[in-house]
Amino acid sequence: MKMKCLIIDDEPIARNGIADFVSKIDFLETVGTCASALEATSYLQEKAIDLLFLDINMPYLSGLEFLESLENPPLVIFTTAYSEHALDGYRLQVVDYLLKPITFQRFYQASLKAKQWHQMLSSPKQNQLDPFLYVRQEEGFQKISWIDILYIEGMQNYAKLHFKDKVLIIHQTMISLEETLPKEFFFRIHKSFLVNVTHIDSISGGRVFIKGEELPISRTRREELLKEVVYKNLLSR
């Protein structure tokens, strides 16, 4: 079954270009186009949509503001002429971030990723994005939401899970946590630190800043973070 797509962009040429790309991909189908986020709000109330191609810089209500206003948004691929919102894309857990002018190769890669996400979310048994995780603590296991983890600090056979309002010490190694947590969202910046990229506020020099905390990042890991996590979806391969 084809994924039902809604294209939201205030530029007619951009809307037509994306619709043309969609028509060339057999698992996608354009069911509507909107010239503003306000128009799209009404559309989503009436139609079932699997995937949004969403421009960010639009009048009245930006793509970011629109997405943040949705209680249960569909999958989203940002389409924009500006690169400064890359971290917002990860914070809002969008599928991909396409920088205009968009090549078909890059568009097809993003569409394949959306298809994979859609299949995972549609198949509970194979859902790798389950927001809950069971961690070992004392004599038993505790259920936590990995979405709320800011970063993890390794301490030999233990690990500190740092949340916004608490720190949880668990009897589990950093390696086992890294293997368990979704690689789309967690990145090893240092031998002792694993961070949730959706909570990164900024990267400066050899430091990553998360909610007022400064974490060290090695030079090789910094380049990898910028390439694979922040700018991965901006580069055409």
Side-chain angles (χ1 to χ4, degrees), residues 6 22 32 39-40 50 65 76 84 113 124 135 160 167 171-172 194 199 213 221 228:
L6 178 63
V22 168
E39 182 184 346
D50 299 312
E65 293 167 336
V76 175
E84 61 264 30
K113 188 186 296 185
V135 295
K160 281 185 179 180
V167 176
H171 184 63
Q172 202 161 338
L194 181 67
H199 293 294
E213 296 290 332
R221 292 273 78 193
E228 296 296 330

Side-chain angles (χ1 to χ4, degrees), residues 83 86-87 90 96-97 106 109 113 183-184 187-189 197 200 203 208 217-237:
S83 63
L87 280 175
Y90 279 94
D96 213 331
Y97 189 109
R106 191 67 189 86
Q109 290 173 345
K113 188 186 296 185
K183 291 179 172 54
E184 299 96 327
F187 189 90
R188 187 77 165 267
I189 62 169
V197 298
I200 293 176
I203 302 168
V208 171
I217 178 172
S218 64
R219 180 178 299 179
T220 56
R221 292 273 78 193
R222 180 180 184 277
E223 295 303 317
E224 191 72 13
L225 177 65
L226 292 172
K227 177 182 177 182
E228 296 296 330
V229 177
V230 179
Y231 296 119
K232 174 176 64 176
N233 294 327
L234 304 179
L235 300 175
S236 176
R237 299 178 182 176

Side-chain angles (χ1 to χ4, degrees), residues 133-144 168 170-172:
L133 175 72
Y134 286 90
V135 295
R136 266 185 291 172
Q137 193 175 30
E138 297 179 351
E139 299 300 322
F141 290 84
Q142 182 172 343
K143 184 180 181 180
I144 64 169
L168 186 65
I170 64 172
H171 184 63
Q172 202 161 338

Side-chain angles (χ1 to χ4, degrees), residues 106-121:
R106 191 67 189 86
F107 185 89
Y108 185 65
Q109 290 173 345
S111 299
L112 285 175
K113 188 186 296 185
K115 180 182 179 182
Q116 292 170 350
W117 280 43
H118 183 63
Q119 289 173 337
M120 287 191 295
L121 293 172

Side-chain angles (χ1 to χ4, degrees), residues 74-233:
L75 296 176
V76 175
I77 293 176
F78 277 145
T79 58
T80 179
Y82 303 92
S83 63
E84 61 264 30
H85 298 296
L87 280 175
D88 287 307
Y90 279 94
R91 176 175 61 84
L92 295 169
Q93 299 182 14
V94 302
V95 174
D96 213 331
Y97 189 109
L98 299 179
L99 189 63
K100 297 177 182 178
I102 303 167
T103 66
F104 180 74
Q105 177 192 14
R106 191 67 189 86
F107 185 89
Y108 185 65
Q109 290 173 345
S111 299
L112 285 175
K113 188 186 296 185
K115 180 182 179 182
Q116 292 170 350
W117 280 43
H118 183 63
Q119 289 173 337
M120 287 191 295
L121 293 172
S122 301
S123 305
K125 292 182 180 179
Q126 298 178 7
N127 187 356
Q128 298 176 16
L129 296 179
D130 187 331
F132 297 107
L133 175 72
Y134 286 90
V135 295
R136 266 185 291 172
Q137 193 175 30
E138 297 179 351
E139 299 300 322
F141 290 84
Q142 182 172 343
K143 184 180 181 180
I144 64 169
S145 170
W146 59 257
I147 293 173
D148 297 324
I149 298 173
L150 303 180
Y151 64 92
I152 300 171
E153 183 179 357
M155 305 182 304
Q156 295 183 345
N157 293 326
Y158 290 84
K160 281 185 179 180
L161 307 185
H162 292 260
F163 297 84
K164 183 178 180 180
D165 55 358
K166 65 180 179 181
V167 176
L168 186 65
I169 299 177
I170 64 172
H171 184 63
Q172 202 161 338
T173 66
M174 187 80 110
I175 293 176
S176 67
L177 285 169
E178 189 174 12
E179 291 175 348
T180 302
L181 291 164
K183 291 179 172 54
E184 299 96 327
F185 300 100
F186 284 85
F187 189 90
R188 187 77 165 267
I189 62 169
H190 184 275
K191 65 179 182 180
S192 299
F193 292 100
L194 181 67
V195 302
N196 185 337
V197 298
T198 66
H199 293 294
I200 293 176
D201 294 316
S202 63
I203 302 168
S204 179
R207 298 284 169 177
V208 171
F209 294 82
I210 300 178
K211 300 297 182 287
E213 296 290 332
E214 295 184 27
L215 306 179
I217 178 172
S218 64
R219 180 178 299 179
T220 56
R221 292 273 78 193
R222 180 180 184 277
E223 295 303 317
E224 191 72 13
L225 177 65
L226 292 172
K227 177 182 177 182
E228 296 296 330
V229 177
V230 179
Y231 296 119
K232 174 176 64 176
N233 294 327

